[in-house]
Amino acid sequence: MICNAAAMVSTRLPSRLLAIPFALAALVALGGCGDDAEDSASSEPQVVLGGDGLQINEIQMLGSHNSYHLRAEPQVADALEALVPDLWAEIDYEHVPLEDQLSEYGIRQFELDVFADPDGGLYSTPAALEILDEPPPDEPSMEEPGFKVQHVADIDYNTTCLTFVECLQEIEEWSSMNPTHLPVMIMVETKGDDLGNGAGGFGVDLSTLDAEFAVPPEMTPELFDDLEAEVLSVFPQDRIITPDDIRGNHETLESAVLADGWPTIMDSRGRVMFSLVDTGESRDLYVKDAPALEGKLFFTSSEEGRPDAAFLRVDDSTEDPDRLDELSAAGYLIRTRTDEPGIHAPNNDTSLRDSAFLTGGHYLSTDQYVPYDETGFVVELPGDVIAVCNPVSAPNGCESLAIEE
């Protein structure tokens, strides 16, 4: 794909990112555009276009929102669209498998929603199918204990990978085949939504329906231990960038990133890192005995001033872009969004996307790395590269560089 990068720069992106990097020409000169370039890419280290000495908070990459999500089956979709059209507009999107996102679209940040299922089988019979008198899917892995991946239990459960471990295995297999890849951030949200009690928020009374709704267990220290154990069942710890790696000798994680920053790209290649999306009581439970995430695998979605503050979520960059840039320049790693389902892509509204690219956000999260059919709305980096220099946090002299793995 890089071979034709000069002809593929997107004119839909902000002008400050549209300069064709001189380094692309260097790749051609180094022989990276032969007919068999794609065949050799997975077996040989790819040309690095400068930047391995940059820190990982000095670049900008694409991520995906609810990365596992698939649309509901037609009969469930029809029912949801009729009963709760506003909800349907928010969930009428889907993603390609995680491996394809990594290899075909350069996605380097994922978001996985997980539901605890310590005994197994809790989510194997979705209530929506019961109500519609449809048979449940025959999925043996749904009967096994372990965290399951879906958006909303009972109604919005279709996913490209059913279990947390299956999702991680897909990422790990790609990672092992591409050992020089840029670090991949995996955001995880533990879900406890009870549709039976929460449906009133959708304006629908489900009490009259003849169906049994799943009641997810609340997270406990033991369940968080189980979640970390599932991570370590797939990734060895030396391939995970952990809070301890970043904190070093500092008392808090925040003081470490503000003083020393993050690892270099070279030191981070082939590795993954995990962050917990949870806030409130769930996050408090996770950090209770480790306020600076001592011994933990997951970073947290934190706020400035907390001892665990290293990774921040600023979903809407249009609200206060100057503040986002200040946080980025200070050293925090930031996820921001470029679009929301049912809003930006259907209306070809590029305001959030364009704002996100101009800020110091490091992971730009989208549902539309594939163009939206009706409007052509798409989110992609210029030049078809995996990462670009961060407009705010990158050092001087980085404007003309593209970073490719």
Side-chain angles (χ1 to χ4, degrees):
M1 294 190 294
I2 298 300
C3 301
N4 295 320
M8 296 176 67
V9 175
S10 172
T11 58
R12 290 181 286 270
L13 296 178
S15 58
R16 71 192 292 178
L17 295 177
L18 291 179
I20 305 231
F22 295 117
L24 291 174
L27 179 58
V28 177
L30 288 170
C33 292
D35 292 339
D36 59 350
E38 290 190 8
D39 293 338
S40 64
S42 62
S43 59
E44 298 179 7
Q46 297 185 28
V47 176
V48 179
L49 304 177
D52 253 25
L54 292 172
Q55 294 179 317
I56 60 176
N57 66 315
E58 294 175 337
I59 60 177
Q60 198 172 67
M61 295 179 280
L62 293 185
S64 59
H65 162 255
N66 291 347
S67 312
Y68 57 88
H69 192 266
L70 291 175
R71 289 185 177 89
E73 302 96 330
Q75 64 272 34
V76 175
D78 290 344
L80 290 172
E81 188 172 15
L83 288 172
V84 278
D86 290 342
L87 172 65
W88 174 247
E90 295 178 9
I91 63 175
D92 182 21
Y93 65 95
E94 65 181 23
H95 288 288
V96 301
L98 303 181
E99 191 279 331
D100 289 345
Q101 292 184 47
L102 287 161
S103 60
E104 300 298 324
Y105 298 97
I107 299 300
R108 294 296 181 267
Q109 170 257 305
F110 293 116
E111 186 175 350
L112 304 175
D113 294 331
V114 299
F115 287 76
D117 188 10
D119 299 320
L122 183 58
Y123 312 102
S124 60
T125 306
L129 295 179
E130 284 190 67
I131 294 167
L132 296 171
D133 198 27
E134 296 285 344
D138 182 17
E139 298 289 356
S141 63
M142 295 297 288
E143 300 292 343
E144 299 295 324
F147 286 87
K148 307 303 189 294
V149 174
Q150 50 189 299
H151 188 223
V152 182
D154 286 315
I155 61 169
D156 192 24
Y157 48 83
N158 272 359
T159 171
T160 62
C161 42
L162 294 169
T163 72
F164 185 46
V165 167
E166 288 176 9
C167 293
L168 296 183
Q169 287 173 336
E170 191 172 343
I171 298 170
E172 194 282 329
E173 289 172 5
W174 176 88
S175 176
S176 292
M177 293 181 63
N178 298 271
T180 61
H181 67 78
L182 295 176
V184 176
M185 167 69 81
I186 303 168
M187 298 171 58
V188 179
E189 181 174 4
T190 67
K191 289 288 194 81
D193 305 334
D194 177 357
L195 184 63
N197 292 326
F202 300 136
V204 178
D205 181 8
L206 300 180
S207 62
T208 60
L209 298 176
D210 184 20
E212 183 176 351
F213 296 97
V215 181
E218 294 183 4
M219 290 299 291
T220 64
E222 292 76 21
L223 285 174
F224 272 120
D225 288 344
D226 291 344
L227 187 67
E228 291 196 342
E230 291 196 4
V231 170
L232 292 175
S233 75
V234 178
F235 285 97
Q237 188 152 338
D238 63 1
R239 288 175 59 194
I240 303 171
I241 300 172
T242 68
D244 285 344
D245 294 332
I246 305 304
R247 192 178 58 258
N249 295 323
H250 290 269
E251 183 177 352
T252 70
L253 194 56
E254 181 179 55
S255 60
V257 299
L258 297 183
D260 299 336
W262 294 79
T264 64
I265 292 174
M266 178 172 289
D267 290 339
S268 305
R269 287 188 177 276
R271 303 175 75 187
V272 297
M273 54 197 304
F274 291 86
S275 63
L276 192 67
V277 176
D278 304 20
T279 56
E281 293 181 3
S282 181
R283 182 183 63 185
D284 292 343
L285 185 65
Y286 187 70
V287 305
K288 181 178 180 181
D289 297 322
L293 301 177
E294 299 90 342
K296 297 294 188 181
L297 290 185
F298 288 76
F299 293 88
T300 50
S301 293
S302 192
E303 295 90 35
E304 187 181 15
R306 290 173 52 99
D308 61 336
F311 174 69
L312 312 180
R313 286 167 41 231
V314 183
D315 287 341
D316 190 342
S317 61
T318 66
E319 291 183 351
D320 192 350
D322 291 339
R323 182 59 180 154
L324 191 161
D325 288 352
E326 290 173 5
L327 295 170
S328 175
Y332 300 100
L333 200 60
I334 299 171
R335 195 290 298 260
T336 193
R337 295 182 65 175
T338 62
D339 50 275
E340 297 182 47
I343 298 176
H344 296 93
N347 297 295
N348 200 23
D349 179 354
T350 66
S351 57
L352 186 59
R353 181 195 70 185
D354 294 349
S355 171
F357 271 102
L358 288 169
T359 68
H362 304 96
Y363 299 106
L364 309 185
S365 178
T366 181
D367 289 300
Q368 295 299 156
Y369 47 84
V370 177
Y372 189 78
D373 287 341
E374 285 76 12
T375 64
F377 180 97
V378 67
V379 178
E380 54 190 7
L381 292 175
D384 201 25
V385 296
I386 304 299
V388 294
C389 294
N390 189 286
V392 172
S393 59
N396 293 334
C398 195
E399 295 82 40
S400 65
L401 292 179
I403 301 147
E404 166 61 3
E405 63 171 353

